[in-house]
Amino acid sequence: MLFIPIDARGAHVMVCDDVCLNAVRDQLPAEGPLALTTTVVCATCLACSLTVEGTHCPCSRLEVSCSRPSWLLCTQARTALDTIYETCGPTTLTDADWQQLLGWAEEVWNGGLVGLLWAREHQPDAGQ
């Protein structure tokens, strides 16, 4: 992972490698990245959302994945919720709704599409 410092307070961004860094370079300040071999907490790549386990990994306790792209630790979950809000308005998600979203996220891994699938499933006429 490459660590990119953002400001003096310690904010930072992680990317996997130079390929991912180049993919998001225009979103980042012109700070030089530092290579990290280990981190204390899990680190998620800003570009591809691959999450690498940290030495004090909290993921199993939080029931998220740190060994492959982790939907809940990236922007995809927010994109799905935004899509649901835009399509259905304010919506309360039940535990069953979350399980459905998580299942689709593991299969599809595109937050907007996951949100649209959920919205389609929950419309009065699900056949359309």
Side-chain angles (χ1 to χ4, degrees):
M1 297 295 282
L2 297 174
F3 169 89
I4 299 132
I6 301 296
D7 61 31
R9 294 175 307 194
H12 61 275
V13 169
M14 299 288 191
V15 291
C16 290
D17 52 29
D18 288 329
V19 173
C20 284
L21 176 60
N22 287 334
V24 295
R25 190 173 293 279
D26 62 334
Q27 301 173 35
L28 302 171
E31 298 290 333
L34 305 169
L36 293 179
T37 55
T38 63
T39 62
V40 174
V41 295
C42 300
T44 300
C45 177
L46 176 65
C48 72
S49 299
L50 178 71
T51 302
V52 176
E53 183 177 340
T55 57
H56 293 83
C57 174
C59 293
S60 60
R61 180 175 48 82
L62 298 173
E63 297 180 358
V64 296
S65 168
C66 60
S67 62
R68 61 179 181 273
S70 182
W71 190 69
L72 288 176
L73 294 179
C74 69
T75 60
Q76 294 295 313
R78 172 55 39 199
T79 303
L81 293 176
D82 289 346
T83 301
I84 291 169
Y85 183 84
E86 289 169 15
T87 306
C88 302
T91 305
T92 301
L93 299 175
T94 66
D95 289 342
D97 295 333
W98 269 112
Q99 290 307 313
Q100 189 175 38
L101 288 171
L102 290 170
W104 282 334
E106 292 295 327
E107 295 172 23
V108 178
W109 194 64
N110 182 312
L113 181 56
V114 170
L116 287 173
L117 288 169
W118 187 92
R120 183 183 70 182
E121 187 76 16
H122 290 80
Q123 294 301 311
D125 183 6
Q128 299 205 0

